[in-house]
Amino acid sequence: MNIVDMTTLFSSSGFSAAIAMTLTSALFAFAGRNLYLRRIGSALLVLGTGIGAITGALALTQPLDTTRILTVVAPFGLHFQINALAAIFFVIVNTVACIAALYAIRYVDDGGTYHIPSLGGLTSLFIVGMQLTLLAASIPTFMVAWETMSLASFVLVMADRTAASRNAAILYFVMAHIGAVAIMAGFFVLSGGNPYAAFDTFATTLPTLTQGQTLLAFILFFIGFGSKAGLVPLHTWLPAAHPQAPSHVSALMSGVMLKVAVYGFIFTSAILLPTLPTTATVIVMGIGLISAVFGALHAAVDTDIKRTLAWSSVENLGMIFLMLGTAMFARNQHMNDLATITFTAALFHCIAHAIFKSGLFMTAGSIVHMMHTRSLERMGGLAKRMPTFSASFLVLCLAAAALPPFAGFIGEWMYLTGLVAALPHAALPVQVTLALALVGTAFVAGIATFAMIKLFAISQLGAPRSRAADEAKDPSWGIRGPVFVLTASAVLAGVFATNILHNLGFMTPSASTISLPSGTVSPLILAVIATIMFALVLTSKRIFGLGRERDYQTWNCGQPITAQMEYTATAFSAPFRFFFRSILGIRKTVAITPSAGGLVARREMLITGRSFLESHVHEPIARGLHMIADRIKRVQSGSIQLYLLFILIALGVTLIIAV
């Protein structure tokens, strides 16, 4: 048996073993009131997801057809297959899930606010749902896996059983099932109404579809997967649900569940469907850019550490869809080089986002656990009290800000350089479209950098603004270890981006280098240069600056220095609230607290935000639905005769449709 045969054999059993072990871990977790059973469940989850990551990586090395590597027909009409695209996302899901499972072992034990057996079991089911979604090869298989993922994450959002979590979970449930209905309807259009069709059979039905039916299927898929990815205007659930979930679940939802939605969109719109009209590709670009701008602005002004990260995910997913839309647009314009570069940039940004956003949510969760608050205004000075953890947080923030040489930089840089290279050779309408994408991306990058500076500086630097911040310390190695792995991955993925892209087989060597005025340089060389320069600065400071600096207390006109004199997150982001107040819907009110004698005891400025979309789109729709529901519920009169009449009408309509 040669190496290829052995790899194929391992792949065929490896995917099954990964899913079986993850599913078995759920059974042990649900029965995990006993510590030993819980530990067995955790070990199975780590092992199963680890095998899944290795198996997916091995599948990518097989010199087989890129559209299908492995196909399995299971009982009950379930069909599974793995293709090159799904294998990439399978590696992403399982790698992050494995690290999150390690993190959860200590995090859940320290939490004390969750029902541990149900939390562990539902987390395993959540991961199984994502695994099976990527392997699904038929409509029922895909929808069962998709609903498993959605329902498990719905319950996990309200794991702490607070009113805020329940409200966020209900909003997520509604949006998730609007998306699920849209996806199912899109599959029905492609299958000619056959709810049990395998994806392979679409090849016979697609030629019979009209252009209108194809466009309808695309719109349904874009709504379905776009709502799960958190694209504007169907994003409202994401900044509400992600912060409420336990931190390792937030990492899974933001780091990998959103990527499953990206996979679904690519698979349906770019692989299953024929070439889409140019207008449809421009719509994808526009919605992606609007989502990126909207998410970046909210991340820049929000003062909740976890909600800031959630808004940042809206921005990142918007960028990914902008890249995908550009790839589809370029393919329509026969600009194959640009299509290849932008599509690869989107895939690499998926990998980078999974790494740094998962790490940021785990880091933020540990900070919240220590501080007992998510407010940045109550933090400060954490860098001195938890230095190693703060260093990881800094690296992950730099990666999220898309700064070199970290992972987040490579995808956006490839996208920007691809646009710049394509502009001179394009027709005027195409130039205008690409120029708008270029300017919008640069604008978003600047705001995203500001948001990450605010996130790190306000929480980690300065003096502590609360007693909890003053008493903070580095968490245990059970928490720090997984975060350090993701931190190192954020660095290595950026430094060795060229190798990763070559192994994925999407790019030529010249396409993954960084352009400079004098030529090109690889990310590895850039990282080496940056490291040498940093070392030279430190060495020079020690050699030439030793003994020339003296420490003095900050002078404040004789007054004691307090944390109240520092910048807060609210003050730091004031320029954005001012210039973009119409988009963010910023409102300022002054609350006055009178004293017993009628004098003013305290004035407090309250800053609230209700965005344009929330006040002019979401709330009118919600009011309309409430009004319709109030009128419909009048039929619930309690009259048995009326209910029998409804049943007869329903039977009559059913018979008419059947005939």
Side-chain angles (χ1 to χ4, degrees), residues 487-576:
T487 304
S489 300
V491 177
L492 295 175
V495 171
F496 296 102
T498 303
N499 305 82
I500 295 172
L501 293 171
H502 292 170
N503 290 332
L504 292 179
F506 286 106
M507 299 295 292
T508 60
S510 60
S512 54
T513 57
I514 297 172
S515 299
L516 297 173
S518 59
T520 59
V521 62
S522 72
L524 177 58
I525 296 176
L526 182 65
V528 171
I529 293 173
T531 303
I532 292 173
M533 292 179 65
F534 183 72
L536 286 175
V537 170
L538 289 181
T539 304
S540 300
K541 181 179 182 300
R542 285 188 171 273
I543 294 175
F544 301 107
L546 188 62
R548 299 185 182 182
E549 297 179 3
R550 290 179 290 177
D551 292 334
Y552 289 96
Q553 293 292 329
T554 302
W555 174 249
N556 189 40
C557 301
Q559 299 298 315
I561 302 295
T562 67
Q564 292 179 339
M565 300 174 183
E566 298 177 355
Y567 261 108
T568 62
T570 303
F572 195 76
S573 58
F576 282 90

Side-chain angles (χ1 to χ4, degrees), residues 8 27 34 65 78 82 103 127 139 168 229 252 257 278 284 326 357 359 377 401 423 451 512 554 557 589 609 614 648:
T8 306
L27 300 178
N34 182 287
D65 185 77
L78 299 178
I82 186 73
Y103 173 91
I127 296 170
I139 295 176
L252 289 171
M257 185 184 75
T278 300
V284 176
T326 305
K357 192 53 60 71
E377 313 289 36
L423 277 172
S512 54
T554 302
C557 301
T589 56
E614 186 178 352
L648 289 175

Side-chain angles (χ1 to χ4, degrees), residues 173-501:
F173 182 85
V174 171
M175 297 303 297
H177 283 84
I178 289 174
V181 170
I183 293 169
M184 185 178 293
F187 281 136
F188 284 177
V189 172
L190 295 188
S191 66
N194 180 8
Y196 303 103
F199 294 158
D200 288 345
T201 63
F202 289 173
T204 60
T205 57
L206 283 175
T208 65
L209 297 180
T210 64
Q211 187 174 6
Q213 290 174 318
T214 302
L215 191 59
L216 174 62
F218 162 74
I219 293 172
L220 290 169
F221 287 135
F222 192 37
I223 291 173
F225 294 114
S227 65
K228 182 68 78 175
L231 296 184
V232 171
L234 302 175
H235 67 286
T236 51
W237 67 272
L238 197 154
H242 285 206
Q244 296 300 139
S247 293
H248 64 291
V249 177
S250 297
L252 289 171
M253 292 180 71
S254 205
V256 293
M257 185 184 75
L258 302 183
K259 308 310 175 301
V260 175
V262 173
Y263 163 78
F265 175 76
I266 297 174
F267 180 70
T268 54
S269 300
I271 296 179
L272 286 184
L273 289 174
T275 302
L276 295 169
T278 300
T279 304
T281 64
V282 174
I283 289 174
V284 176
M285 293 176 65
I287 295 296
L289 182 56
I290 291 171
S291 300
V293 172
F294 203 72
L297 286 175
H298 277 278
V301 301
D302 209 300
T303 59
D304 183 308
I305 186 171
K306 290 186 72 175
R307 197 163 57 234
T308 297
L309 295 176
W311 280 115
S312 175
S313 288
V314 175
E315 176 256 318
N316 290 127
L317 268 292
M319 284 301 307
I320 290 171
F321 273 82
L322 173 61
M323 295 173 185
L324 292 174
T326 305
M328 297 161 66
F329 175 79
R331 185 176 63 177
N332 279 12
Q333 304 301 320
H334 307 290
M335 304 170 70
N336 295 330
D337 288 343
L338 179 61
T340 302
I341 291 173
T342 52
F343 179 70
T344 308
L347 286 181
F348 192 86
H349 205 58
C350 285
I351 297 171
H353 181 257
I355 294 170
F356 66 71
K357 192 53 60 71
S358 300
L360 283 171
F361 265 111
M362 291 181 193
T363 308
S366 300
I367 293 173
V368 171
H369 174 66
M370 269 185 287
M371 299 286 302
H372 303 291
T373 180
R374 300 201 316 240
S375 175
L376 290 169
E377 313 289 36
R378 304 289 297 165
M379 298 179 189
L382 298 181
K384 291 183 179 180
R385 286 150 184 83
M386 40 196 303
T388 56
F389 207 58
S390 179
S392 292
F393 193 40
L394 174 61
V395 171
L396 293 168
C397 285
L398 293 175
L403 296 177
F406 305 105
F409 167 75
I410 302 300
E412 292 194 18
W413 183 258
M414 289 173 58
Y415 179 66
L416 288 171
T417 53
L419 292 177
V420 171
L423 277 172
H425 311 290
L428 181 60
V430 177
Q431 284 182 327
V432 172
T433 304
L434 298 182
L436 289 174
L438 178 65
V439 173
T441 302
F443 178 70
V444 170
I447 302 175
T449 301
F450 176 90
M452 290 300 109
I453 292 173
K454 179 207 71 175
L455 185 68
F456 179 80
I458 300 300
S459 65
Q460 306 295 310
L461 304 181
R465 288 185 290 275
S466 66
R467 182 176 179 180
D470 191 39
E471 297 175 350
K473 59 181 180 179
D474 269 326
S476 65
W477 275 104
I479 297 292
R480 279 187 286 172
V483 172
F484 287 168
V485 171
L486 290 169
T487 304
S489 300
V491 177
L492 295 175
V495 171
F496 296 102
T498 303
N499 305 82
I500 295 172
L501 293 171

Side-chain angles (χ1 to χ4, degrees), residues 614-635:
E614 186 178 352
S615 57
H616 291 81
V617 178
H618 301 141
E619 289 188 359
I621 292 175
R623 286 196 298 269
L625 291 174
H626 277 293
M627 183 181 66
I628 294 172
D630 288 337
R631 298 196 176 184
I632 291 176
K633 72 180 182 182
R634 294 177 184 175
V635 302

